[in-house]
Amino acid sequence: MARIAGVNIPTQKRVPIALQYITGIGAHSAELICEALKIDRARRVNQLTDSEVLAIREYIDANFTVEGDLRREVTMNIKRLMDLGCYRGLRHRKGLPVRGQRTHTNARTRKGPAKPIAGKKK
C-alpha cells in the first residue's frame, strides 16, 4: 500500500483517483501531478514503481499544502475572522451560514435540528 502525505492511498484504483484521497488534492490537482511526472492516467497505484511513488510524494510536498497543514491553515483563517469580529467571523461564531444563504427556512445543516418553541400552547 502506497503511503503519500501520511495517507494510505488505495492500491487498486487509478493514480488520479487514488491521489484524491489526500485532503487538499482534487481532480484537477491529481491530473496536474500525473502530467508533471509523466505518469499514465490509466495505470493503477499497485503498478507504480517505488521511484515513481517517491517522485509523487516529493512533488506533492514541494507544490501543495495538504492534510494536517491545510486543516491547520483553514482553522487559523476561521479563528482570525472570529477574532477580528467581522461579519463572517460572527456568522462562524454563531454557527450560521457564512456565505449569504437564507436562514428563515433551510440552513438546518449549520443550525442543527429544529428546536420546538417552548411555551406555545393552543
Side-chain angles (χ1 to χ4, degrees):
M1 184 167 272
R3 188 166 177 85
I4 298 173
V7 176
N8 291 330
I9 59 174
T11 55
Q12 298 301 318
K13 295 191 182 285
R14 293 186 306 108
V15 177
I17 304 301
L19 287 176
Q20 293 177 48
Y21 280 71
I22 301 169
T23 302
I25 295 181
H28 184 69
S29 300
E31 293 290 335
L32 289 177
I33 292 168
C34 290
E35 190 176 307
L37 299 175
K38 294 179 178 46
I39 295 173
D40 184 24
R41 289 160 184 72
R43 288 178 63 194
R44 308 270 170 181
V45 174
N46 58 7
Q47 297 171 338
L48 294 176
T49 64
D50 290 338
S51 61
E52 288 174 324
V53 173
L54 182 65
I56 291 171
R57 191 177 299 134
E58 289 173 352
Y59 187 83
I60 288 172
D61 287 342
N63 298 305
F64 293 93
T65 305
V66 292
E67 285 299 322
D69 293 337
L70 180 63
R71 287 192 183 99
R72 192 173 310 108
E73 188 176 320
V74 169
T75 304
M76 291 304 294
N77 287 340
I78 293 170
K79 190 174 186 317
R80 178 180 53 83
L81 290 171
M82 291 185 341
D83 291 344
L84 282 172
C86 65
Y87 181 78
R88 282 172 54 203
L90 295 175
R91 302 296 282 184
H92 273 291
R93 198 179 302 161
K94 292 177 182 176
L96 293 169
V98 178
R99 297 185 177 178
Q101 296 91 336
R102 67 179 286 128
T103 56
H104 178 70
T105 59
N106 305 337
R108 295 286 24 139
T109 301
R110 284 293 297 204
K111 291 168 70 172
K115 302 164 197 77
I117 300 171
K120 184 138 182 169
K121 294 186 180 182
K122 283 191 174 183

